[in-house]
Amino acid sequence: MTVPVQFDRSQAGRNESAGWPETGRAEDQASVAPAGGPQTSRGAAGARPTSRTGQARTAEARAAKAKTRRSADADEVGQVRLGRVLAVAGALLALGLFINLIITFLSSGPGGPLRWLVPPVIALITAMVVALMDALSPQERAPGRLNVSVVVAIVVVLLGVGVGGFALTAAAQYAAGYVTGKESGEARLVKPVGKAFEGLTVTVENVTYTSHFTRVQLAVKNAGDQSVALPLDSNVALTGPEGNAIRADDSRSQWPGKFPSGGTEHGTITFTGHLPDNLTTATVTLRSGENPVAVGIALSN
């Protein structure tokens, strides 16, 4: 019984000297090889879904980013950089007021109110145009604290540049008129009056009552052989019939002081305050003493 068992084992194994294959080992290797093969393919198959999932997530992230960008671009439509608008309007208004102040100091009178209205009007129109252009042509820009809707921008421009600009202009005009004495006012002279004094002819051309001053415009013609000096000293006054007088303010007057021979000079004397409103006559005195220069005038109530 032992012999058949040994014979079977020798048949099942491999005889190395004869080169017979060992069928048992070949079967074992065959059984192991298929196990490794499918396992490897399953690993590759498992890697593919993972790669596809990553690509899907990347696509979703890009889509979300694009959607957010489109939403941000939509929010930018109608947005106005209010700080930029106010800066442009403020610069124009300041430049216009500065030019008006220079003109006031250099001119001989207050001038018309139109030139004071030009700066706020230009600033208001420019601010509205800049705000509308900013709202209608949105660009990708960094968000700021003063980025507002076009409706809010228009309201702020109307209140800040419109109302505020005109109020600032009125204040600047008031200050310039008070400092220089060149305030606008009411003409009170009934008609121009002239009088001759030893070669001089003095003509009162206008009398204006302003808020704080009385401005008297005169023309002096020197027909003599020598120049004549008429300084604005303490003797220069505007006197009422009852003796009440107001004095000249040299710092606010535009008066040449000296009048050359053969010429005519114009000047304005600014008196501080007013005579009573009910007066109908007054006297402008340029020089007192032995050779006085005084002209009587008629005033309207």
Side-chain angles (χ1 to χ4, degrees):
M1 296 181 63
T2 307
V3 175
V5 173
Q6 292 178 354
F7 178 79
D8 292 337
R9 289 180 179 177
S10 64
Q11 294 292 333
R14 180 177 179 273
N15 191 343
E16 297 179 0
S17 63
W20 293 357
E22 294 181 359
T23 57
R25 292 182 181 178
E27 292 176 358
D28 293 342
Q29 292 175 0
S31 64
V32 172
Q39 184 177 5
T40 305
S41 62
R42 283 195 302 268
R48 289 195 188 96
T50 304
S51 177
R52 292 177 180 175
T53 304
Q55 294 177 357
R57 290 179 179 175
T58 303
E60 291 177 358
R62 291 177 180 175
K65 185 177 181 181
K67 184 178 180 181
T68 303
R69 183 176 298 177
R70 288 194 300 269
S71 178
D73 293 340
D75 292 339
E76 286 294 334
V77 177
Q79 293 292 306
V80 177
R81 291 169 290 183
L82 186 59
R84 176 171 172 264
V85 174
L86 295 179
V88 172
L92 289 175
L93 181 61
L95 178 62
L97 294 182
F98 179 72
I99 294 175
N100 271 327
L101 290 174
I102 293 178
I103 294 175
T104 301
F105 277 92
L106 297 180
S107 64
S108 59
L114 180 61
R115 66 181 175 89
W116 285 99
L117 296 177
V118 172
V121 170
I122 293 179
L124 178 60
I125 295 175
T126 304
M128 295 292 289
V129 171
V130 172
L132 292 177
M133 291 180 61
D134 211 14
L136 296 177
S137 58
Q139 298 177 355
E140 187 173 350
R141 61 177 74 103
R145 293 182 179 180
L146 294 180
N147 287 5
V148 298
S149 66
V150 64
V151 176
V152 175
I154 291 176
V155 173
V156 173
V157 168
L158 290 176
L159 293 178
V161 182
V163 179
F166 282 101
L168 182 61
T169 301
Q173 183 181 7
Y174 177 88
Y178 181 79
V179 172
T180 62
K182 301 170 184 177
E183 297 177 331
S184 300
E186 179 185 2
R188 298 290 302 274
L189 185 66
V190 175
K191 63 179 180 178
V193 179
K195 190 174 182 179
F197 305 91
E198 298 181 356
L200 288 179
T201 302
V202 178
T203 303
V204 179
E205 299 179 326
N206 194 15
V207 176
T208 304
Y209 278 28
T210 71
S211 299
H212 304 91
F213 311 104
T214 300
R215 304 180 73 247
V216 179
Q217 297 178 359
L218 302 100
V220 178
K221 180 180 179 180
N222 185 4
D225 297 332
Q226 297 179 349
S227 62
V228 177
L230 295 174
L232 292 182
D233 53 21
S234 58
N235 294 320
V236 179
L238 180 63
T239 309
E242 297 180 357
N244 46 345
I246 53 178
R247 301 296 174 179
D249 188 338
D250 188 14
S251 63
R252 291 185 171 95
S253 300
Q254 297 81 48
W255 186 248
K258 290 185 178 181
F259 301 89
S261 173
T264 301
E265 297 288 338
H266 296 266
T268 301
I269 301 176
T270 302
F271 297 91
T272 303
H274 310 97
L275 292 175
D277 291 337
N278 58 351
L279 295 183
T280 58
T281 60
T283 302
V284 180
T285 302
L286 299 181
R287 184 176 63 191
S288 60
E290 297 180 358
N291 299 313
V293 178
V295 180
I297 57 178
L299 301 175
S300 62
N301 290 329

